[in-house]
Amino acid sequence: MPVAQTSPEIAAPKPLWSWKLAPAFIVVTSAIPLFGFENRLVGYPWLVIGLVVAYFVDRELTRDLGIIAAGLIVVSTVSVKADISWPNFFLLGFVLSLAVAVPFVLDRFVFRRRVIRFPWRSGQKWQPWEKSYLFAVPFLGWLILPFYFISSGAYLNWPAVSEFSEVARLFVGVNAVGIWDELFFICTCYVLLLRHFPVLFANILQAIVFVSFLWELGYQEWGPLMTIPFALLQGWIFHRTKSLTYVIIVHLLFDLVVFLAIVHAHNPGVFPFFLIPAPQ
C-alpha cells in the first residue's frame, strides 16, 4: 500500500503568474461545454486549442494536459446523468474506470513517470482537526443537503427508488462515483496541475472540471454554491494530508447523506430525522 511522497516537481516553488495558465485554463474549461452543456462540438475543439497553445508554451505541460484531456474525452463519451438502470450502471462504471486507467497508463508506461499515484497512507497520524472534520462533514450534510435538494428541486435529477434493487444501485452508484471523483479530479488532474502551478491555481483549475462534472451528474440549480467549496476543500485537504484514504472517507461521509437525502425527498416519511420535510 503506497505511502504518500511528494515529487521534486510538485514540491518546487512555482511563480504566481505564468503563461502556462492560458492553455491550462482552456483545457480545464472545456469541461464546461463537455459536461455542463453536453456539447462536444464546442468542447472538443476548445480542448484541442488548449493543447495546441500548450505545445508552444511548454512541452512538459503539453504532456500533462494531454493526460488530463484523455481522461476528459473518455468521460465525455457517455452521459453521467443519474441513471441507475442495469445497462447504464455497468456502462458508466466501465467508462469511469477507463477514465482513471488511461491517464495512469499514459503516465506510467508511455511517459515512464510516477506522477499519478494513489497514496492510501500518508505515513502520519491524523491531526485533531482531521478527526473533528469527520464529524463536521455529515452534520453539515444533514443541515444543508435536504434543503438544497428539496428547495431547488434538484432531487428530481435522481431517479425515485423504492425497490431494494433500486435503492442498492443508487447507494452503490453514489458512493462509487464519490470514490472516482477523488481518483480522477484529485489524484490525477490536481496532481498533474500541481507540477506547474501554485497550490491555489492548481486547485481552482481542478475544481472547474470537478464542478462541471457534478453539474451534469445532477447538482444543478444553485448546486455550484455547494460543489465549488466542496471541490476546493477536497483539493486543499489532500494537499495537507497527502492521504487518499482520508479524502475518500470525507467524500463517502458526505455522499452517505446525499443518498439519504435523495431517498428522503422521493419517499416522504422514510427518514424523519431531516429538518426539511419531503414534498408530498
Side-chain angles (χ1 to χ4, degrees), residues 11-35:
K14 316 295 190 311
L16 190 61
W17 165 256
S18 167
W19 283 109
K20 292 181 179 181
L21 277 170
F25 181 77
I26 294 172
V27 167
V28 300
T29 54
S30 71
I32 297 174
L34 285 176
F35 303 139

Side-chain angles (χ1 to χ4, degrees), residues 49-267:
I49 289 171
L51 295 176
V52 171
V53 174
Y55 180 82
F56 290 102
V57 172
D58 185 274
R59 299 299 170 81
E60 192 64 23
L61 175 66
T62 306
R63 294 189 184 96
D64 290 334
L65 293 181
I67 291 173
I68 293 172
L72 294 179
I73 291 171
V74 171
V75 177
S76 69
T77 59
V78 297
S79 171
V80 299
K81 289 181 179 178
D83 176 2
I84 59 171
S85 63
W86 279 115
N88 193 71
F89 185 79
F90 289 110
L91 173 63
L92 189 57
F94 172 75
V95 170
L96 294 184
S97 299
L98 199 62
V100 170
V102 169
F104 179 82
V105 169
L106 289 173
D107 177 64
R108 190 62 53 88
F109 300 106
V110 177
F111 298 127
R112 299 189 179 280
R113 314 176 309 184
R114 297 182 64 86
V115 177
I116 298 176
R117 303 174 183 178
F118 305 107
W120 297 103
R121 293 185 296 125
S122 66
Q124 300 176 355
K125 291 184 178 180
W126 286 1
Q127 300 298 312
W129 72 266
E130 294 174 77
K131 297 176 183 178
S132 300
Y133 190 59
L134 294 182
F135 290 95
V137 168
F139 173 74
L140 290 172
W142 170 79
L143 204 61
I144 298 169
L145 286 169
F147 175 73
Y148 160 65
F149 281 121
I150 293 171
S151 68
S152 69
Y155 75 94
L156 296 172
N157 295 329
W158 279 264
V161 293
S162 55
E163 297 181 3
F164 175 78
S165 173
E166 296 172 333
V167 173
R169 271 177 280 156
L170 179 63
F171 178 78
V172 172
V174 166
N175 287 279
V177 171
I179 294 172
W180 179 86
D181 288 342
E182 305 306 325
L183 297 178
F184 183 70
F185 299 119
I186 303 301
C187 287
T188 302
C189 297
Y190 175 65
V191 168
L192 289 169
L193 292 165
L194 202 56
R195 301 182 73 220
H196 306 275
F197 307 107
V199 172
L200 176 63
F201 289 165
N203 203 17
I204 291 173
L205 291 170
Q206 70 82 16
I208 292 172
V209 186
F210 202 155
V211 173
S212 299
F213 174 86
L214 292 178
W215 177 274
E216 183 182 353
L217 186 63
Y219 294 88
Q220 299 177 11
E221 307 302 330
W222 54 272
L225 295 178
M226 177 178 61
T227 57
I228 289 172
F230 180 77
L232 291 171
L233 271 172
Q234 288 299 91
W236 179 81
I237 290 170
F238 180 76
H239 187 77
R240 283 289 304 272
T241 64
K242 306 294 189 296
S243 172
L244 174 58
T245 300
Y246 184 79
V247 293
I248 284 180
I249 290 173
V250 168
H251 203 134
L252 292 182
L253 286 171
F254 191 78
D255 279 351
L256 173 62
V257 187
V258 167
F259 163 76
L260 294 174
I262 292 171
V263 174
H264 164 69
H266 280 294
N267 300 275

